[in-house]
Amino acid sequence: MPNSGPLFDVHDVWLDYRRENGQRQTVLQGATVTIHGGAITCLVGSSGSGKSSLLRLLNRLEEPGRGQIDFCGRALPDLDPLDLRRRVALVPQTPTMLPGTVLDNLEAGARLRGRRLEDPGAWLGRVGLTGDFVTKQARDLSGGEKQRVALIRTLATQPEVLLLDEVTSSLDPDSEALVEQLLVSLNLPVVWVSHDADQVRRVAAHVLRLENGQIREVAVQ
Amino acid sequence: MSTLSLTFTLAFVLVVALVSMWQRLGLERDLLVGTVRAAVQLLAVGYVLNWVFGTDSWLGIGIMLTVMLAVAAHHAGKKGEGLPRVRLWTFVAIALAEVATVGLMVVLGIIPLTAQYLIPISGMVIGNAMVNAGLLLNRLQAEMTARRAEVEVWLCLGATPRQASAAVLKAAVRASMIPSVDALKTVGLVQLPGMMTGQILAGASPIEAVKYQILIMYSLAAAAAVSSISLGLFCTARYFNRNAQLVV
C-alpha cells in the first residue's frame, strides 16, 4: 500500500492528441509535479486543460509524448500495465455500464481475478443503493445510479490507489455527501478530478491546478 | 454452348443498358466496363483452368490457389483499413479456412487430389471466406468504435486486451456468420445454389448434384466459422499495443 510519500512523480510530461477535425492539440507541456500518497489530491482546472488526460497517463491508458511518470519510485514503463491498472484503478468520467445486470457489473473485476464478489448488496449499500438493484439491467439505470455503480464496480476490485474523474457530477447532494464520506473513510490515496470548488474544499488534502499545460500545487489543507 | 449462343447473352446486358438510359441511372459506362471485364476475366480463367486441369501440375494448382487467396485477402482486407497488416492477417485467416475445409475433404477421401476438384471447390470456399472476412472486419470496426468506452472500462478493471475485447469479438463473429447460417437454413427452399444448378444443367442427376451441394454448404459454413474466428482473434489484438492500450 503506498504511504504518504511520493505516489506519482510526473516529470516534464508532454502530451498532445489529434482532435476530430484533424488538428493536434497539446494538453500537457512539460508538466512536473509530485502527487503524494495517503491522502486525497484534487485536480482542478478549466475544461480541456488536460485533467482527464493526466488520469489516463497515470493509469497508463496513454503514453506521454515526452517525459516520465514514476509510480512509487518506479517508472511506469517498467511496470506491467495490467498489474498497474489492478493496483491503480481509474473510474472514468462517463459511467459506461457493461452489458448485463448491475451484479454482472459489480462482479466484473472479481471475475477477472478468478474470485467471487462477496455480498454485492452491501457494496451497493455503501453508495446508497438498495440490494434489489443487483438484478436490474445496468444500462437502464439513471445517470446518478450508473455513476455510483461504476464507482462501486471499481472499489470492489480493492485497488491500492483510486483515480476518479468527476465521479459525483450527476449525483444529488445527499448521494454526493455519502460518496464523499465513503471515499474519505477508505483512507486510500486518491487523485480526484473535480469541478466543484466546495467538494474540493471538503475532501482534498492537496489541490493541483492544471493551466496552460502546466501543473502547480495551489493548496495544502 | 456455341460462340453464337454466348454472343446472344449480350441481350441481357442490352436490357440493363436500355433500362439505365430510360431511367437515366447513369450505369452505362460501368456496365460496359463490367461486361468487358467479366468476359475477359472468365475467358482468361477458363484457358488457365484448361491448362492446369490438363497438366494436373502442382505448380499450376499452387499458383492458382495463391492468386485466389491473395485477391480474396486484398478485397476483404479493404474493410479493415487502418488496422496494421490487415491484408496479411486476412490472407492467413482465409488460408486457414481453405486448409481446414478442403484439406479435410482430401484427407477424408471425399474429393480426389486433382486440379479438377481442388480448384473449383477451393474457389467456392475462398470466395465465401472472403465475404465472411469482409463482414467480420466491417463489423469489428463498427463494434470497436461504438463500444470503445466499454473496452476501456474493462482495461481499467485490469482486463487483458483479449478479455476487454471479448464481447466485441463475439458480436462481430456472430454478425459475420449470419449469411452462412441463413444460407444453410434456406438452401433449396429459397434458391437452388449455382453449383447444383450447373451440375444439373451439365447432365448430372439431381441427387448426385444435391450430394455435392450438401458437401459444399457444410464446408462453406465451416470455412466461414474458421475465417471469422481466426481473423477476429488476429485483428482484435491489432487494436491494442504491447502496453495494453487501445490504439486504433
Side-chain angles (χ1 to χ4, degrees):
Chain A
M1 176 81 69
N3 55 25
S4 57
L7 183 69
F8 289 104
D9 265 318
V10 178
H11 182 69
D12 191 26
V13 164
W14 292 68
L15 180 72
D16 61 359
Y17 63 88
R18 194 181 293 276
R19 302 172 78 168
E20 284 182 8
N21 62 12
Q23 290 182 332
R24 295 204 76 83
Q25 180 177 354
T26 303
V27 284
L28 296 177
Q29 302 176 48
T32 298
V33 75
T34 297
I35 299 173
H36 295 277
I40 295 178
T41 298
C42 278
L43 272 178
V44 299
S46 54
S47 296
S49 61
K51 303 183 296 298
S52 299
S53 298
L54 180 61
L55 291 192
R56 289 173 62 81
L57 288 173
L58 299 180
N59 197 233
R60 223 172 159 212
L61 285 174
E62 287 182 39
E63 295 291 323
R66 220 170 79 194
Q68 180 172 317
I69 300 174
D70 292 350
F71 171 62
C72 293
R74 291 184 67 191
L76 291 191
D78 294 341
L79 299 168
D80 173 31
L82 301 185
D83 183 51
L84 174 79
R85 287 181 200 139
R86 290 182 181 206
R87 296 173 65 192
V88 180
L90 169 65
V91 183
Q93 188 173 5
T94 307
T96 303
M97 293 291 99
L98 302 173
T101 62
V102 168
L103 182 61
D104 292 329
N105 272 266
L106 296 185
E107 287 185 327
R111 281 202 309 270
L112 290 173
R113 292 154 178 79
R115 296 199 305 253
R116 280 179 57 87
L117 180 68
E118 300 296 331
D119 203 354
W123 281 100
L124 288 169
R126 299 175 81 176
V127 286
L129 296 174
T130 54
D132 58 357
F133 265 80
V134 290
T135 56
K136 291 191 177 182
Q137 285 300 309
R139 284 178 179 172
D140 294 340
L141 301 180
S142 71
E145 289 165 347
K146 283 180 182 171
Q147 219 162 26
R148 284 180 281 173
V149 170
L151 177 64
I152 283 297
R153 181 176 63 193
T154 300
L155 287 180
T157 65
Q158 299 177 313
E160 294 173 27
V161 180
L162 276 173
L163 306 174
L164 307 177
D165 199 349
E166 297 191 52
V167 290
T168 59
S169 58
S170 303
L171 301 188
D172 59 79
D174 288 346
S175 301
E176 184 181 21
L178 190 63
V179 167
E180 285 177 8
Q181 283 166 20
L182 168 66
L183 292 168
V184 170
S185 71
L186 292 173
N187 214 18
L188 281 180
V190 180
V191 184
W192 188 338
V193 168
S194 177
H195 275 296
D196 182 344
D198 291 334
Q199 181 175 65
V200 171
R201 270 192 292 277
R202 287 193 296 271
V203 301
H206 304 271
V207 182
L208 303 176
R209 176 175 292 280
L210 266 82
E211 212 167 39
N212 302 321
Q214 304 279 325
I215 308 172
R216 61 191 173 87
E217 181 141 359
V218 290
V220 180
Q221 294 181 357
Chain B
M1 188 187 290
S2 69
T3 308
L4 187 63
S5 304
L6 184 62
T7 311
F8 286 155
T9 58
L10 284 173
F12 298 116
V13 180
L14 192 62
V15 170
V16 184
L18 289 174
V19 170
S20 175
M21 284 190 282
W22 174 41
Q23 290 293 314
R24 294 180 184 167
L25 300 177
L27 290 173
E28 298 91 299
R29 186 183 152 78
D30 283 343
L31 187 67
L32 179 68
V33 173
T35 304
V36 173
R37 273 189 66 165
V40 170
Q41 284 168 200
L42 286 172
L43 283 171
V45 167
Y47 281 110
V48 172
L49 286 177
N50 217 23
W51 172 74
V52 176
F53 288 2
T55 59
D56 234 349
S57 129
W58 279 108
L59 179 66
I61 294 172
I63 290 172
M64 279 293 290
L65 293 181
T66 307
V67 169
M68 288 157 111
L69 284 169
V71 173
H74 177 75
H75 266 278
K78 282 180 190 168
K79 305 287 194 305
E81 236 29 289
L83 278 175
R85 298 196 188 111
V86 67
R87 286 188 174 84
L88 172 67
W89 293 114
T90 310
F91 183 97
V92 174
I94 298 176
L96 279 175
E98 160 77 357
V99 171
T101 52
V102 180
L104 195 64
M105 286 183 215
V106 171
V107 169
L108 295 177
I110 298 171
I111 60 168
L113 199 54
T114 61
Q116 191 189 345
Y117 283 85
L118 277 182
I119 290 175
I121 291 177
S122 294
M124 281 187 270
V125 167
I126 292 170
N128 201 61
M130 174 186 77
V131 173
N132 260 94
L135 286 171
L136 183 280
L137 289 171
N138 199 300
R139 189 57 184 258
L140 196 58
Q141 293 272 45
E143 288 281 331
M144 200 56 102
T145 304
R147 299 170 73 171
R148 193 179 176 88
E150 184 187 319
V151 173
E152 286 211 329
V153 164
W154 279 112
L155 292 177
C156 289
L157 291 171
T160 62
R162 181 168 290 189
Q163 289 168 326
S165 57
V168 167
L169 173 62
K170 194 172 158 184
V173 170
R174 279 181 68 92
S176 73
M177 289 291 295
I178 288 172
S180 299
V181 175
D182 282 351
L184 274 180
K185 287 181 188 167
T186 60
V187 67
L189 300 175
V190 178
Q191 88 280 24
L192 290 180
M195 180 194 169
M196 188 172 125
T197 310
Q199 279 191 300
I200 293 170
L201 288 176
S205 84
I207 300 299
E208 198 60 24
V210 162
K211 283 181 188 170
Y212 270 99
Q213 192 59 51
I214 289 172
L215 164 71
I216 291 300
M217 294 304 294
Y218 290 173
S219 61
L220 293 187
V226 172
S227 60
S228 286
I229 292 168
S230 56
L231 186 59
L233 287 171
F234 295 150
C235 287
T236 44
R238 308 274 89 71
Y239 283 91
F240 302 88
N241 64 15
R242 62 192 174 88
N243 298 320
Q245 295 162 336
L246 199 48
V247 287
V248 177

